[in-house]
Amino acid sequence: MNYYIDENMKINPNKIILNSDFSFGTSDNDNESWDFQISLNESSNIILKFNKETFRCSNCEGFIFLDSKKIIKRSIEIGPFKQGRLFFESNVYPLPDYGIECIMENTNIYYDDINNILAMGNIEENSETYEFGNGQYIKLKGGNIIAIYIKLYHLK
């Protein structure tokens, strides 16, 4: 898979909600259509949801395994960013019906429980950061995802 950003398209305005069971996804009023998922690691901590017809990312969902020894708790800063929609180009034809695993090279998982930010990948990489959905950020390098950040909100 190759990923790219279209800076001419507006981001999905819906926030990512952290549920009481530590699952997360967009709010119920999100009407952005999707029918294809890409899991970024083997345990599906973070899944990107795409429209299979347009290849446009609608949002993300997943689960935080707080008891996992794989999660590193630390302060996370997202830094400056640009906005644009996330798309993918596939080298797999035909695409599977529902989704695919596309494991990132670096699957380190970080959680900032003070600022409610979940991150995965090489968050120290000095690459351009893009907000592709409200509170959803990504770093790309050579068409690959090298880091993803998700600002999590609680239902009120």
Side-chain angles (χ1 to χ4, degrees):
M1 296 287 173
N2 283 314
Y3 301 91
Y4 66 95
I5 297 289
D6 183 342
E7 293 184 47
N8 296 314
M9 292 193 73
K10 293 185 180 189
I11 66 171
N12 182 333
N14 292 293
K15 296 178 179 177
I16 301 296
I17 305 301
L18 179 62
N19 300 304
S20 59
D21 66 354
F22 289 94
S23 65
F24 59 87
T26 57
S27 57
D28 291 336
N29 65 348
D30 189 356
N31 58 10
E32 183 101 20
S33 67
W34 64 273
D35 55 1
F36 190 74
Q37 296 183 326
I38 297 177
S39 178
L40 299 178
N41 70 350
E42 291 172 340
S43 56
S44 299
N45 291 86
I46 299 175
I47 297 172
L48 295 173
K49 300 185 324 188
F50 288 86
N51 181 304
K52 199 173 181 181
E53 191 173 300
T54 64
F55 302 103
R56 181 176 69 204
C57 184
S58 61
N59 53 59
C60 62
E61 66 180 22
F63 195 87
I64 302 173
F65 299 100
L66 284 180
D67 295 335
S68 172
K69 293 179 181 176
K70 292 183 177 182
I71 290 193
I72 302 162
K73 289 189 179 180
R74 64 170 278 188
S75 177
I76 299 171
E77 291 189 28
I78 296 168
F81 60 87
K82 295 179 180 179
Q83 287 188 328
R85 280 319 271 275
L86 177 64
F87 288 82
F88 79 92
E89 294 174 338
S90 178
N91 55 359
V92 177
Y93 296 102
L95 282 172
D97 287 338
Y98 188 67
I100 194 168
E101 246 182 20
C102 193
I103 308 300
M104 291 174 52
E105 185 175 317
N106 179 336
T107 57
N108 290 336
I109 301 170
Y110 306 94
Y111 183 57
D112 181 337
D113 56 354
I114 295 171
N115 296 308
N116 288 322
I117 299 173
L118 179 69
M120 185 167 70
N122 185 354
I123 63 174
E124 303 300 329
E125 173 73 30
N126 190 17
S127 293
E128 191 83 55
T129 302
Y130 292 93
E131 183 178 33
F132 65 93
N134 189 346
Q136 300 163 79
Y137 307 87
I138 200 156
K139 289 182 180 181
L140 301 175
K141 186 175 189 178
N144 295 311
I145 298 172
I146 56 170
I148 185 166
Y149 306 80
I150 303 163
K151 172 72 176 151
L152 302 164
Y153 295 88
H154 296 281
L155 284 176
K156 295 192 180 198

